[in-house]
């Protein structure tokens, strides 16, 4: 879950999808009422396609068969690590916003 001041995004099947045919994510918005519990609106979105695990294995197989490295993946790996580093830094600083370093 990624939480902000106005909404949160929930990726329940970020690593392993519950469905082999698609990946979903949910957006939760909270409008705080002066009295009573907060009203929560949830929207669900289907990312389409197949699960990322199957796509990863398929793409890796294509790269191996071609015998040529794909320059795309080292860049994506670095960007993912920079994002994870920013999340860890934010958590260590009391969940304060932090900048993501550029790749």
């Amino acid at each position: 879950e990624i939480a902000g001041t106005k909404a949160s995004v929930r990726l329940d099947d970020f690593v392993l999808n519950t469905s082999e045919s698609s990946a979903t994510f949910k957006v939760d918005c909270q409008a705080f009422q002066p009295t009573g519990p907060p009203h929560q609106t949830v929207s669900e979105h289907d990312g389409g396609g197949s699960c990322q695990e199957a796509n990863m294995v398929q793409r890796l197989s294509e790269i191996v068969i071609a015998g040529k490295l794909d320059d795309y993946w080292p860049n994506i790996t670095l960007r993912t690590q920079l994002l994870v580093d920013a999340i860890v830094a934010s958590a260590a600083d009391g969940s304060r916003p932090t900048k993501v370093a550029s790749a």
Side-chain angles (χ1 to χ4, degrees), residues 1-96:
E1 180 172 10
I2 301 169
T5 57
K6 296 183 181 180
S8 64
V9 177
R10 205 170 66 221
L11 304 137
D12 293 329
D13 48 4
F14 181 68
V15 176
L16 295 175
N17 295 17
T18 54
S19 166
E20 291 184 16
S21 61
S22 68
T24 61
F25 66 93
K26 297 175 183 172
V27 178
D28 299 339
C29 300
Q30 300 213 3
F32 294 98
Q33 310 290 332
T35 59
H39 171 70
Q40 186 175 40
T41 305
V42 177
S43 61
E44 187 168 336
H45 305 270
D46 187 342
S50 60
C51 74
Q52 86 176 20
E53 183 181 23
N55 290 338
M56 178 186 66
V57 170
Q58 180 178 354
R59 183 63 188 132
L60 180 60
S61 299
E62 291 168 356
I63 292 169
V64 169
I65 290 169
K68 182 179 176 190
L69 293 179
D70 185 346
D71 292 334
Y72 174 79
W73 292 110
N75 185 29
I76 291 300
T77 302
L78 176 59
R79 288 179 179 197
T80 301
Q81 187 61 53
L82 291 171
L83 178 60
V84 170
D85 290 347
I87 292 169
V88 170
S90 174
D93 193 26
S95 298
R96 294 182 190 191

